[in-house]
Amino acid sequence: MKVRTLNVAASLLLVALIALCVLWEGWLAPLRPGGSWMMLKALPLMAALFGVLKGRRYTYQWLSMLVLLYLVEGVVRAADPGLGGMLAWAEAILAALLFVIVVLYARLSAPSRQRAAGS
């Protein structure tokens, strides 16, 4: 896989995860009627957005650890009844896919791999 393809995939998954977090806690199935402060959980993801869009390897490295929190939340809340449980599964799947893509990107964009490809 090419680094550029992984960058585009990570960008799309990250935007989808941010949108899911905001929509879920704001309107679709908030913890409290009328919206929830839990939508602020999207803020750490938004901090990574510009670094991912620019392909910064350091951002990918710390995002690989951060996204695991969203994976855990999705798995834990997947037992919620109704729409909340389905949204939790969606969050877990998006977070898992993002984790895999981010790790692959960080691995393929390593300076040692760049030097080996250039030789």
Side-chain angles (χ1 to χ4, degrees):
M1 248 187 199
K2 291 186 176 182
V3 174
R4 179 70 184 143
T5 305
L6 292 172
N7 180 255
V8 170
S11 299
L12 292 173
L13 286 168
L14 182 58
V15 168
L17 190 56
I18 290 169
L20 176 68
C21 289
V22 171
L23 291 172
W24 177 6
E25 300 298 345
W27 297 277
L28 297 176
L31 288 175
R32 297 171 197 229
S36 167
W37 283 94
M38 281 289 289
M39 80 170 73
L40 294 177
K41 70 183 180 185
L43 287 177
L45 293 172
M46 292 172 79
L49 185 59
F50 290 110
V52 168
L53 291 173
K54 292 181 180 181
R56 292 190 177 137
R57 188 168 185 273
Y58 180 74
T59 303
Y60 277 84
Q61 289 172 326
W62 64 260
L63 180 60
S64 70
M65 294 178 278
L66 175 68
V67 76
L68 292 175
L69 295 173
Y70 295 86
L71 174 62
V72 169
E73 183 202 19
V75 170
V76 168
R77 291 182 67 184
D80 290 354
L83 183 59
M86 288 186 283
L87 293 171
W89 276 112
E91 179 183 42
I93 291 167
L94 285 173
L97 289 172
L98 182 58
F99 176 77
V100 170
I101 296 295
V102 162
V103 169
L104 285 173
Y105 181 91
R107 184 175 179 190
L108 289 178
S109 65
S112 60
R113 295 207 183 249
Q114 300 299 322
R115 275 185 252 127
S119 319

